[in-house]
PDB file of all heavy atoms in Angstrom:
ATOM      1  N   ALA A  76       6.734  16.993 -27.125  1.00 83.00           N
ATOM      2  CA  ALA A  76       6.072  17.365 -28.333  1.00 83.00           C
ATOM      3  C   ALA A  76       7.159  17.971 -29.338  1.00 83.00           C
ATOM      4  O   ALA A  76       6.993  17.869 -30.555  1.00 83.00           O
ATOM      5  CB  ALA A  76       5.010  18.365 -28.131  1.00 83.00           C
ATOM      6  N   ALA A  77       8.247  18.566 -28.788  1.00 83.00           N
ATOM      7  CA  ALA A  77       9.175  19.192 -29.634  1.00 83.00           C
ATOM      8  C   ALA A  77      10.317  18.193 -30.185  1.00 83.00           C
ATOM      9  O   ALA A  77      11.211  18.570 -30.883  1.00 83.00           O
ATOM     10  CB  ALA A  77       9.857  20.334 -28.905  1.00 83.00           C
ATOM     11  N   ALA A  78      10.175  17.028 -29.617  1.00 82.00           N
ATOM     12  CA  ALA A  78      11.159  15.978 -30.008  1.00 82.00           C
ATOM     13  C   ALA A  78      11.179  15.661 -31.561  1.00 82.00           C
ATOM     14  O   ALA A  78      10.144  15.718 -32.178  1.00 82.00           O
ATOM     15  CB  ALA A  78      10.913  14.619 -29.329  1.00 82.00           C
ATOM     16  N   LYS A  79      12.336  15.679 -32.158  1.00 82.00           N
ATOM     17  CA  LYS A  79      12.478  15.532 -33.663  1.00 82.00           C
ATOM     18  C   LYS A  79      12.227  14.091 -34.034  1.00 82.00           C
ATOM     19  O   LYS A  79      11.779  13.887 -35.168  1.00 82.00           O
ATOM     20  CB  LYS A  79      13.829  15.892 -34.113  1.00 82.00           C
ATOM     21  CG  LYS A  79      14.108  17.417 -33.951  1.00 82.00           C
ATOM     22  CD  LYS A  79      15.408  17.819 -34.504  1.00 82.00           C
ATOM     23  CE  LYS A  79      15.644  19.272 -34.267  1.00 82.00           C
ATOM     24  NZ  LYS A  79      16.882  19.736 -34.692  1.00 82.00           N
ATOM     25  N   GLU A  80      12.356  13.204 -33.090  1.00 81.00           N
ATOM     26  CA  GLU A  80      12.106  11.735 -33.468  1.00 81.00           C
ATOM     27  C   GLU A  80      10.595  11.535 -33.502  1.00 81.00           C
ATOM     28  O   GLU A  80       9.776  11.878 -32.789  1.00 81.00           O
ATOM     29  CB  GLU A  80      12.598  10.899 -32.306  1.00 81.00           C
ATOM     30  CG  GLU A  80      12.294   9.401 -32.490  1.00 81.00           C
ATOM     31  CD  GLU A  80      12.568   8.597 -31.242  1.00 81.00           C
ATOM     32  OE1 GLU A  80      13.189   9.061 -30.298  1.00 81.00           O
ATOM     33  OE2 GLU A  80      12.244   7.433 -31.289  1.00 81.00           O
ATOM     34  N   ILE A  81      10.148  10.957 -34.741  1.00 81.00           N
ATOM     35  CA  ILE A  81       8.817  10.629 -34.989  1.00 81.00           C
ATOM     36  C   ILE A  81       8.759   9.146 -34.965  1.00 81.00           C
ATOM     37  O   ILE A  81       9.171   8.465 -35.888  1.00 81.00           O
ATOM     38  CB  ILE A  81       8.360  11.222 -36.298  1.00 81.00           C
ATOM     39  CG1 ILE A  81       8.528  12.634 -36.388  1.00 81.00           C
ATOM     40  CG2 ILE A  81       6.854  10.884 -36.430  1.00 81.00           C
ATOM     41  CD1 ILE A  81       7.632  13.602 -35.534  1.00 81.00           C
ATOM     42  N   SER A  82       8.031   8.568 -33.923  1.00 84.00           N
ATOM     43  CA  SER A  82       7.909   7.158 -33.874  1.00 84.00           C
ATOM     44  C   SER A  82       6.705   6.722 -32.970  1.00 84.00           C
ATOM     45  O   SER A  82       6.116   7.731 -32.357  1.00 84.00           O
ATOM     46  CB  SER A  82       9.178   6.449 -33.260  1.00 84.00           C
ATOM     47  OG  SER A  82       9.210   6.847 -31.893  1.00 84.00           O
ATOM     48  N   ARG A  83       6.372   5.556 -32.940  1.00 86.00           N
ATOM     49  CA  ARG A  83       5.182   5.060 -32.096  1.00 86.00           C
ATOM     50  C   ARG A  83       5.550   5.451 -30.678  1.00 86.00           C
ATOM     51  O   ARG A  83       4.677   5.717 -29.864  1.00 86.00           O
ATOM     52  CB  ARG A  83       4.929   3.640 -32.368  1.00 86.00           C
ATOM     53  CG  ARG A  83       4.088   3.407 -33.568  1.00 86.00           C
ATOM     54  CD  ARG A  83       3.656   1.938 -33.688  1.00 86.00           C
ATOM     55  NE  ARG A  83       4.760   1.322 -34.392  1.00 86.00           N
ATOM     56  CZ  ARG A  83       4.744   0.044 -34.628  1.00 86.00           C
ATOM     57  NH1 ARG A  83       3.807  -0.726 -34.161  1.00 86.00           N
ATOM     58  NH2 ARG A  83       5.776  -0.534 -35.402  1.00 86.00           N
ATOM     59  N   CYS A  84       6.768   5.300 -30.282  1.00 86.00           N
ATOM     60  CA  CYS A  84       7.277   5.469 -28.948  1.00 86.00           C
ATOM     61  C   CYS A  84       7.029   6.941 -28.540  1.00 86.00           C
ATOM     62  O   CYS A  84       6.466   7.207 -27.460  1.00 86.00           O
ATOM     63  CB  CYS A  84       8.669   5.107 -28.706  1.00 86.00           C
ATOM     64  SG  CYS A  84       9.236   5.319 -27.092  1.00 86.00           S
ATOM     65  N   THR A  85       7.526   7.919 -29.399  1.00 85.00           N
ATOM     66  CA  THR A  85       7.350   9.280 -29.022  1.00 85.00           C
ATOM     67  C   THR A  85       5.857   9.648 -29.039  1.00 85.00           C
ATOM     68  O   THR A  85       5.531  10.585 -28.287  1.00 85.00           O
ATOM     69  CB  THR A  85       8.130  10.267 -29.888  1.00 85.00           C
ATOM     70  OG1 THR A  85       7.834   9.970 -31.272  1.00 85.00           O
ATOM     71  CG2 THR A  85       9.726  10.021 -29.721  1.00 85.00           C
ATOM     72  N   ASP A  86       5.177   9.143 -29.977  1.00 85.00           N
ATOM     73  CA  ASP A  86       3.604   9.408 -29.965  1.00 85.00           C
ATOM     74  C   ASP A  86       2.974   8.921 -28.654  1.00 85.00           C
ATOM     75  O   ASP A  86       2.107   9.682 -28.117  1.00 85.00           O
ATOM     76  CB  ASP A  86       3.097   8.723 -31.158  1.00 85.00           C
ATOM     77  CG  ASP A  86       3.369   9.500 -32.484  1.00 85.00           C
ATOM     78  OD1 ASP A  86       3.963  10.650 -32.366  1.00 85.00           O
ATOM     79  OD2 ASP A  86       3.040   8.802 -33.585  1.00 85.00           O
ATOM     80  N   ALA A  87       3.444   7.811 -28.170  1.00 88.00           N
ATOM     81  CA  ALA A  87       2.948   7.207 -26.959  1.00 88.00           C
ATOM     82  C   ALA A  87       3.497   8.090 -25.703  1.00 88.00           C
ATOM     83  O   ALA A  87       2.644   8.338 -24.777  1.00 88.00           O
ATOM     84  CB  ALA A  87       3.339   5.766 -26.732  1.00 88.00           C
ATOM     85  N   MET A  88       4.554   8.665 -25.841  1.00 89.00           N
ATOM     86  CA  MET A  88       5.049   9.530 -24.781  1.00 89.00           C
ATOM     87  C   MET A  88       4.205  10.811 -24.673  1.00 89.00           C
ATOM     88  O   MET A  88       3.894  11.319 -23.650  1.00 89.00           O
ATOM     89  CB  MET A  88       6.612   9.960 -25.066  1.00 89.00           C
ATOM     90  CG  MET A  88       7.584   8.903 -24.781  1.00 89.00           C
ATOM     91  SD  MET A  88       9.159   9.592 -25.197  1.00 89.00           S
ATOM     92  CE  MET A  88      10.265   8.269 -24.593  1.00 89.00           C
ATOM     93  N   VAL A  89       3.872  11.332 -25.862  1.00 86.00           N
ATOM     94  CA  VAL A  89       3.008  12.525 -25.871  1.00 86.00           C
ATOM     95  C   VAL A  89       1.630  12.177 -25.263  1.00 86.00           C
ATOM     96  O   VAL A  89       1.113  12.942 -24.444  1.00 86.00           O
ATOM     97  CB  VAL A  89       2.802  13.033 -27.320  1.00 86.00           C
ATOM     98  CG1 VAL A  89       1.733  14.154 -27.420  1.00 86.00           C
ATOM     99  CG2 VAL A  89       4.041  13.668 -27.839  1.00 86.00           C
ATOM    100  N   ASP A  90       1.121  10.967 -25.542  1.00 87.00           N
ATOM    101  CA  ASP A  90      -0.124  10.623 -24.883  1.00 87.00           C
ATOM    102  C   ASP A  90      -0.008  10.422 -23.447  1.00 87.00           C
ATOM    103  O   ASP A  90      -0.824  10.879 -22.630  1.00 87.00           O
ATOM    104  CB  ASP A  90      -0.645   9.138 -25.472  1.00 87.00           C
ATOM    105  CG  ASP A  90      -1.179   9.299 -26.881  1.00 87.00           C
ATOM    106  OD1 ASP A  90      -1.508  10.421 -27.363  1.00 87.00           O
ATOM    107  OD2 ASP A  90      -1.353   8.277 -27.493  1.00 87.00           O
ATOM    108  N   VAL A  91       1.096   9.943 -22.932  1.00 90.00           N
ATOM    109  CA  VAL A  91       1.272   9.640 -21.450  1.00 90.00           C
ATOM    110  C   VAL A  91       1.303  11.018 -20.792  1.00 90.00           C
ATOM    111  O   VAL A  91       0.707  11.176 -19.798  1.00 90.00           O
ATOM    112  CB  VAL A  91       2.680   8.942 -21.313  1.00 90.00           C
ATOM    113  CG1 VAL A  91       3.132   8.957 -19.873  1.00 90.00           C
ATOM    114  CG2 VAL A  91       2.327   7.389 -21.670  1.00 90.00           C
ATOM    115  N   VAL A  92       2.111  11.940 -21.341  1.00 89.00           N
ATOM    116  CA  VAL A  92       2.173  13.295 -20.752  1.00 89.00           C
ATOM    117  C   VAL A  92       0.835  14.078 -20.747  1.00 89.00           C
ATOM    118  O   VAL A  92       0.483  14.587 -19.763  1.00 89.00           O
ATOM    119  CB  VAL A  92       3.417  14.035 -21.350  1.00 89.00           C
ATOM    120  CG1 VAL A  92       3.460  15.435 -20.704  1.00 89.00           C
ATOM    121  CG2 VAL A  92       4.711  13.389 -21.137  1.00 89.00           C
ATOM    122  N   ALA A  93       0.151  13.957 -21.859  1.00 87.00           N
ATOM    123  CA  ALA A  93      -1.125  14.585 -21.993  1.00 87.00           C
ATOM    124  C   ALA A  93      -2.067  14.059 -20.844  1.00 87.00           C
ATOM    125  O   ALA A  93      -2.832  14.860 -20.212  1.00 87.00           O
ATOM    126  CB  ALA A  93      -1.687  14.415 -23.396  1.00 87.00           C
ATOM    127  N   ASN A  94      -2.146  12.672 -20.816  1.00 87.00           N
ATOM    128  CA  ASN A  94      -2.979  12.161 -19.756  1.00 87.00           C
ATOM    129  C   ASN A  94      -2.607  12.537 -18.384  1.00 87.00           C
ATOM    130  O   ASN A  94      -3.433  12.662 -17.434  1.00 87.00           O
ATOM    131  CB  ASN A  94      -2.992  10.569 -19.966  1.00 87.00           C
ATOM    132  CG  ASN A  94      -3.813  10.226 -21.201  1.00 87.00           C
ATOM    133  OD1 ASN A  94      -4.781  10.739 -21.473  1.00 87.00           O
ATOM    134  ND2 ASN A  94      -3.403   9.121 -21.862  1.00 87.00           N
TER     135      ASN A  94
END
Side-chain angles (χ1 to χ4, degrees):
K79 291 181 181 177
E80 175 190 353
I81 305 287
S82 69
R83 281 186 270 176
C84 182
T85 53
D86 291 346
M88 287 178 172
V89 171
D90 284 347
V91 164
V92 176
N94 288 326

